[in-house]
Amino acid sequence: MKILCVDDSPTIRMLVKRALEPEGYTIIEAENGKTALDVAVSTSVDACIVDVNMPELDGFGFVEQVRQNPEYRDTPIIFLTTESSQEKKSRGAALGVKGWIVKPFDPPSLVKVMNILIPR
């Protein structure tokens, strides 16, 4: 199972990779939403873990644009972010975001969420 991890922090991408790769997931990294869109076109992924605040194209913009691709219309996307306002969570839900995890995150919780979203 391939997961696209989109975050401008190399540390967060490394922590996601450390949490999920031992569980059998392959992590593909992108440092912003714009790069992630290019990755999504060239590589099919089973889910996306996306930060909200990033340069060039933020998480909301990424979700809006990737959902226009029929291949990603129903792909599970979760936000992994420092944001926690109800307004932003509602905006994410309206875009079809399936989960919201606030940083710093608990790696076992991330694994649990991914196992629920991507049945194997």
Side-chain angles (χ1 to χ4, degrees), residues 16-51:
V16 167
K17 203 170 195 170
R18 274 194 195 161
L20 296 175
E21 282 191 339
E23 301 297 319
Y25 295 102
T26 300
I27 306 303
I28 300 166
E29 300 179 43
E31 66 275 0
N32 61 58
K34 187 172 188 258
T35 302
L37 286 173
D38 293 339
V39 171
V41 169
S42 64
T43 305
S44 181
V45 298
D46 300 293
C48 302
I49 298 171
V50 183
D51 188 13

Side-chain angles (χ1 to χ4, degrees), residues 16-110:
V16 167
K17 203 170 195 170
R18 274 194 195 161
L20 296 175
E21 282 191 339
E23 301 297 319
Y25 295 102
T26 300
I27 306 303
I28 300 166
E29 300 179 43
E31 66 275 0
N32 61 58
K34 187 172 188 258
T35 302
L37 286 173
D38 293 339
V39 171
V41 169
S42 64
T43 305
S44 181
V45 298
D46 300 293
C48 302
I49 298 171
V50 183
D51 188 13
V52 169
N53 299 313
M54 296 179 288
E56 296 197 46
L57 183 63
D58 70 6
F60 293 114
F62 168 77
V63 174
E64 288 170 349
Q65 291 186 38
V66 81
R67 289 284 192 222
Q68 293 174 16
N69 181 334
E71 183 178 345
Y72 290 103
R73 202 159 282 140
D74 299 316
T75 300
I77 298 174
I78 66 165
F79 276 147
L80 177 62
T81 180
T82 57
E83 298 290 342
S84 61
S85 74
Q86 190 55 50
E87 176 188 340
K88 291 196 178 189
K89 287 180 181 179
S90 295
R91 183 176 174 199
L95 291 172
V97 173
K98 300 292 183 201
W100 195 284
I101 298 175
V102 177
K103 296 174 190 174
F105 70 98
D106 176 49
S109 295
L110 179 62

Side-chain angles (χ1 to χ4, degrees), residues 6-13 30-32 51 53-55 103:
V6 189
D7 199 301
D8 56 319
S9 166
T11 302
I12 293 296
R13 294 193 312 266
E31 66 275 0
N32 61 58
D51 188 13
N53 299 313
M54 296 179 288
K103 296 174 190 174

